[in-house]
Amino acid sequence: MRYYTRRYGAFITAVILILVVLYTTEPRRRAYSCKTFGSCIDINPHTYSHAYPRNAQLGEFEETLADGTIHYTRELFTRDKTASVVQPNLLILVLNNDADSWARDFRATQRSVHDFLDLLLTTKLDLATVSLAMMTSSRAEFDAIKQATSKLPFGRVSVIFRAPGAHHGLDYSERHNRSPQVQRKRRGFIAALRNYLMLRALRDEEHVLWIDADVVEFSPWVVQTMLSHADTDPEKVGLITARCSQNAHANYDKNAWAVAKGANKIWGPVADHEREGAVDELVETRLFVDVLGKGTSDSDLVPLDSVGGTILYIRASKILEGLVFPTYNVVGTTWSQEGWVGVETEGICYVAKQTPGGGCFLLGGSHYVRHADWG
């Protein structure tokens, strides 16, 4: 009896140890995040094929703006600091509330900014041609982002700290509250934050790419495919997104959709007394990206009427011409009241399509990004 007790005890102990290892070790190793023993002691440090140009010198600047925002910038200059060494052509934008914004993935501990930077490395972009701008409401994350980004040769880095009070009372815990009133208010705040970061950070880049902090995986070459489409057809393409999945959901981002052609109440003017019915019809008939993308190839672009923000490409020239994220329901706006739909990412396509080259599209085929499981 004692033999069997010891035997089962050893077996139970082994199972517990295996579960602990699986929970604390990320199989898809993150070089900076200390998810594996090797990465903790730097046995297998991450390698990156590009480096700072030899004639480059780093310039760092930090200032407090008139509204109290702290803005930190790091960029490459010539040795005499008379000019930038490179002019990045892609601006990547990321909103961060605090350390929890990076979320958690399956069998993983809490992610960090290092995990997010590792994600960017998987794109195989030449970072010297990339500007990275992040805005956070956490001073600790502000410092962490500054330190983490110093490891990689981005052409330009901007880190912005805005105190929580600048978010107009936005409660991060309400992000999954499905009340229409809560979501309208929340997404209006997010639109304002997106606009602030975008307008502060954009200089002379040709392309802008939004990536949510809790995105954990890209399909191969998804970013390069977006840029290729934008370069190939500038008279047509203004915004591009990709399907966002989660381990438990084939289509996670429900803000990307197309209006069904037979939805008669939606395509024309909507009277005040018909607004509620128009919203109901839109919810019941709109087509999401998992349906729209069926049967398409990796080279296809599928027209959309609304985009999500988990990954979102925007042509920079459209922003310079005045395109921003609506902070209110823009569709059906009158002099006396806002519209009945179209706040934040759901409204930016509506605005963009009113101008030449403002078309909104979904990458077809197998392109996707994956959202974290928790966060």
Side-chain angles (χ1 to χ4, degrees), residues 224-241:
Q224 286 87 341
T225 304
M226 288 181 169
L227 300 181
S228 176
H229 278 299
D231 287 335
T232 301
D233 205 344
E235 300 303 315
K236 171 183 175 183
V237 176
L239 292 85
I240 310 174
T241 190

Side-chain angles (χ1 to χ4, degrees), residues 174 177-189:
E174 295 284 356
N177 186 324
R178 292 305 173 193
S179 164
Q181 292 77 18
V182 171
Q183 284 300 310
R184 158 62 188 85
K185 181 179 179 181
R186 174 181 171 273
R187 296 193 66 191
F189 292 154

Side-chain angles (χ1 to χ4, degrees), residues 63-348:
E63 59 181 336
T64 300
L65 305 178
D67 61 0
T69 298
I70 300 177
H71 191 183
Y72 167 83
T73 304
R74 182 193 307 118
E75 58 186 306
L76 301 179
F77 289 95
T78 52
R79 289 289 181 185
D80 58 3
K81 294 188 177 182
T82 57
S84 295
V85 174
V86 294
Q87 174 53 54
N89 70 340
L90 171 63
L91 170 62
I92 295 177
L93 299 171
V94 185
L95 284 179
N96 168 280
N97 187 57
D98 54 28
D100 291 336
S101 298
W102 307 113
R104 290 176 51 228
D105 204 14
F106 72 103
R107 291 185 297 189
T109 52
Q110 175 66 43
R111 295 173 73 245
S112 71
V113 62
H114 297 289
D115 296 271
F116 188 85
L117 294 176
D118 275 355
L119 173 66
L120 296 186
L121 292 181
T122 68
T123 64
K124 302 186 185 303
L125 293 166
D126 179 355
L127 299 189
T129 67
V130 175
S131 297
L132 176 65
M134 296 185 176
M135 185 165 73
T136 180
S137 60
S138 163
R139 184 58 199 240
E141 281 304 295
F142 175 76
D143 295 332
I145 293 169
K146 286 168 54 179
Q147 186 276 331
T149 53
S150 68
K151 297 175 179 291
L152 294 170
F154 289 100
R156 182 182 304 119
V157 172
S158 296
V159 189
I160 296 176
F161 168 66
R162 297 191 79 201
H167 292 200
H168 310 290
L170 174 62
D171 188 348
Y172 189 73
S173 65
E174 295 284 356
R175 65 194 302 260
H176 294 302
N177 186 324
R178 292 305 173 193
S179 164
Q181 292 77 18
V182 171
Q183 284 300 310
R184 158 62 188 85
K185 181 179 179 181
R186 174 181 171 273
R187 296 193 66 191
F189 292 154
I190 293 176
L193 295 176
R194 286 188 185 276
N195 293 337
Y196 188 95
L197 174 58
M198 187 166 65
L199 297 176
R200 283 288 189 194
L202 180 60
R203 292 195 190 175
D204 198 32
E205 293 86 356
E206 298 177 45
H207 309 292
V208 172
L209 184 68
W210 282 96
I211 304 172
D212 275 0
D214 43 14
V215 166
V216 298
E217 182 182 347
F218 293 143
S219 60
W221 309 110
V222 64
V223 175
Q224 286 87 341
T225 304
M226 288 181 169
L227 300 181
S228 176
H229 278 299
D231 287 335
T232 301
D233 205 344
E235 300 303 315
K236 171 183 175 183
V237 176
L239 292 85
I240 310 174
T241 190
R243 177 176 61 86
C244 179
S245 67
Q246 195 183 47
N247 284 316
H249 304 280
N251 179 34
Y252 178 83
D253 192 343
K254 297 299 179 65
N255 294 323
W257 40 262
V259 177
K261 298 303 181 185
N264 296 324
K265 292 182 181 178
I266 298 173
W267 284 103
V270 176
D272 288 351
H273 68 278
E274 295 177 337
R275 287 185 169 209
E276 186 175 342
V279 171
D280 291 340
E281 183 172 3
L282 175 63
V283 171
E284 293 168 3
T285 62
R286 61 188 171 182
L287 302 174
F288 292 108
V289 298
D290 53 337
V291 174
L292 295 168
K294 284 185 177 179
T296 60
S297 70
D298 286 0
S299 61
D300 288 338
L301 285 179
V302 182
L304 293 176
D305 294 305
S306 173
V307 291
T310 49
I311 184 168
L312 177 61
Y313 166 85
I314 306 177
R315 188 182 299 280
S317 61
K318 306 309 297 179
I319 300 166
L320 296 174
E321 292 168 4
L323 179 66
V324 293
F325 293 91
T327 57
Y328 54 89
N329 284 323
V330 68
V331 180
T333 303
T334 67
W335 286 109
S336 61
Q337 60 185 331
E338 68 174 87
W340 56 276
V341 73
V343 66
E344 201 221 348
T345 60
E346 287 189 334
I348 194 170

